[in-house]
Amino acid sequence: MKPEELAAARDRVIPDVAAPGLGVLFCGINPGLMSAATGHHFARPGNRFWPVLHLSGFTPRQLAPSEQGELPAYGLGITNVVARATARADELSDEEFREGGRLLVARVERLRPRWLAVVGITAYRTAFDDRRATIGPQTRTIGTTRIWALPNPSGLNAHWTARTMAEEFARLRVSAQMPDLTGS
């Protein structure tokens, strides 16, 4: 993709992949420029979301970002804390995260997934004003929806490998009582 195409995607909003009553609604921080330019969540080639989703058993094979529309058939969806696209998450203000958190709560109340899985502990801490949150299930709920904070799948998050991320995603899958679709 050409640099000018990416630059033109700044501040775009891409639609959620969601439906009422999902098992897990994954929530990214905000769309990157590649995602905004393509209209597909987690579209940057170095992002590990799609491989980890498969390795953890949520999908029967590794989906490409362009296949995101298949997720609801597996009881899954994707949204973001902040809707507007940026080159880096650090371009977002704390107020944008807090407002995004308020809007996210309303979205979750409407869609009522069993679990909201926020991929990015810092985004979760800021959006929900919970500085002590750690990776894993949270005590906070949104109505009957439970919340799980997951590691950020960005290739920049070197603290987590694809394998260790997949283990954490799999813990969520088991808690959400969703089948292992890899057949393992």
Side-chain angles (χ1 to χ4, degrees):
M1 184 158 295
K2 295 178 183 176
E4 58 272 13
E5 291 173 301
L6 290 176
R10 182 173 296 281
D11 296 325
R12 276 191 199 156
V13 173
I14 60 174
D16 291 343
V17 176
L22 296 171
V24 178
L25 178 61
F26 289 96
C27 181
I29 298 168
N30 76 307
L33 298 182
M34 180 71 74
S35 290
T38 63
H40 305 303
H41 294 272
F42 301 104
R44 187 167 190 84
N47 193 293
R48 298 171 290 179
F49 178 79
W50 297 103
V52 167
L53 202 62
H54 171 62
L55 288 170
S56 63
F58 275 110
T59 59
R61 63 181 177 80
Q62 183 176 322
L63 300 176
S66 61
E67 297 174 300
Q68 67 186 17
E70 294 182 27
L71 289 177
Y74 302 122
L76 308 173
I78 302 176
T79 189
N80 288 290
V81 175
V82 176
R84 78 177 182 95
T86 60
R88 296 181 323 275
D90 64 6
E91 295 176 42
L92 303 170
S93 69
D94 285 356
E95 183 50 41
E96 282 182 282
F97 276 113
R98 286 189 289 274
E99 177 62 17
R102 287 187 284 274
L103 294 171
L104 179 59
V105 166
R107 199 170 318 127
V108 168
E109 287 172 340
R110 187 175 87 267
L111 295 172
R112 296 190 325 258
R114 286 195 313 269
W115 285 89
L116 172 67
V118 180
V119 293
I121 189 68
T122 303
Y124 175 82
R125 288 174 179 158
T126 306
F128 291 97
D129 195 28
D130 185 354
R131 298 286 180 207
R132 294 185 182 167
T134 58
I135 296 293
Q138 307 301 305
T139 56
R140 172 191 305 264
T141 60
I142 301 170
T144 59
T145 299
R146 303 225 22 228
I147 302 172
W148 196 291
L150 290 167
N152 184 339
S154 166
L156 300 175
N157 183 2
H159 299 302
W160 290 81
T161 65
R163 178 67 51 205
T164 57
M165 271 190 252
E167 290 168 2
E168 189 61 31
F169 275 56
R171 285 183 56 220
L172 165 62
R173 184 185 50 72
V174 169
S175 292
Q177 300 178 334
M178 299 187 77
D180 182 345
L181 298 178
T182 61
S184 301

